[in-house]
Amino acid sequence: KWDVYYNFGQRSEVFHDFGQWSGPRLANALGPSADLNDDGTPECYGNINDPATLIVGCVPANLFGGPLSMTQDQLDYLTVDLTDTVLTTQQEAQASLTGDWFDLPGGKLGWAVGVGYGNTDFEYQPDSAKQQDAVTGNTGAGTKGSLVSNSVFGEILAPLYDNGTQSLDMRASVRWDDYDAFDAETTYAFGVEFSVMKDLKLRATYGTVFRVPTISNLFGGI
């Protein structure tokens, strides 16, 4: 028997981040302020001795004025709405063959072989203000990268014994995975399954595994 498949998937996400403050605006609002134009309302200045350094649109803020001392105008000036985007694209393909080989005391020896291909592209694009370290919350660079793999695998099932009440089966498998970002890896497994009686079955398995690093692990920005 044979089996062939191809899978394509794409996921896009947009995250809206509310409630953070703009770092440069916070610095302006907490900086020098004065009412140099005598209109009864203080304004932000780069230098209170120089009216030409007026920061247009800035609303002075006092973080130590007590409860409810922050006005809506101050909050409107300080807060920024941020947008992060994530795009993930995955492709998978596999072809496999399965069949029987020859008779054993418990039945026919079963086997399976196959090849596989995988390709994952991932891009995380944080808001430009986060990338420029210009907000008061978490900041950092984005992540962009891809990971491509090619695989070959095989497996056998050997029914070593079966008298209708008791049976003994052995399994063995091996897999080779080659990735474009790091060295190839071979994993294997062996297993035994023993049906002692109708209501009792014993199983034991030994195998090797490894964790594939994610694209964020490999290409994550600081």
Side-chain angles (χ1 to χ4, degrees):
K1 298 180 180 179
W2 59 271
D3 181 74
V4 176
Y5 75 81
Y6 170 77
N7 214 21
F8 175 86
Q10 188 173 79
R11 176 174 177 170
S12 60
E13 302 169 89
V14 178
F15 298 93
H16 298 286
D17 191 350
F18 304 109
Q20 293 202 41
W21 286 3
S22 165
R25 289 188 179 187
L26 182 62
N28 292 339
L30 296 180
S33 61
D35 183 17
L36 299 185
N37 58 5
D38 294 324
D39 65 353
T41 303
E43 295 88 21
C44 307
Y45 290 90
N47 182 352
I48 57 174
N49 297 314
D50 183 2
T53 62
L54 172 70
I55 303 174
V56 178
C58 174
V59 181
N62 177 13
L63 301 184
F64 305 100
L68 304 180
S69 63
M70 292 289 291
T71 67
Q72 189 60 49
D73 288 343
Q74 293 171 340
L75 293 175
D76 290 342
Y77 175 72
L78 291 174
T79 57
V80 290
D81 298 335
L82 309 174
T83 301
D84 305 333
T85 61
V86 176
L87 179 63
T88 306
T89 303
Q90 289 184 312
Q91 298 182 72
E92 291 182 336
Q94 181 173 293
S96 62
L97 293 172
T98 61
D100 299 327
W101 198 356
F102 53 81
D103 290 326
L104 291 172
K108 289 185 176 295
L109 177 74
W111 56 267
V113 294
V115 295
Y117 167 82
N119 186 345
T120 300
D121 292 287
F122 176 83
E123 181 175 3
Y124 163 58
Q125 191 75 21
D127 192 279
S128 59
K130 292 183 179 181
Q131 297 188 54
Q132 296 169 10
D133 200 27
V135 289
T136 57
N138 290 335
T139 61
T143 298
K144 184 177 182 179
S146 65
L147 188 60
V148 179
S149 66
N150 293 282
S151 307
V152 179
F153 58 88
E155 182 176 356
I156 61 170
L157 170 60
L160 302 178
Y161 177 77
D162 190 346
N163 63 4
T165 302
Q166 298 173 311
S167 64
L168 178 63
D169 297 333
M170 184 191 75
R171 299 174 183 268
S173 60
V174 63
R175 182 183 181 94
W176 178 79
D177 294 288
D178 183 30
Y179 291 85
D180 63 339
F182 48 90
D183 293 338
E185 187 71 37
T186 300
T187 54
Y188 58 88
F190 298 99
V192 176
E193 186 174 285
F194 178 34
S195 294
V196 182
M197 59 183 67
K198 180 180 179 181
D199 297 321
L200 178 61
K201 179 181 288 187
L202 304 177
R203 287 186 293 191
T205 303
Y206 175 84
T208 59
V209 297
F210 71 99
R211 188 183 77 84
V212 178
T214 66
I215 293 178
S216 294
N217 292 152
L218 296 169
F219 305 105
I222 298 174

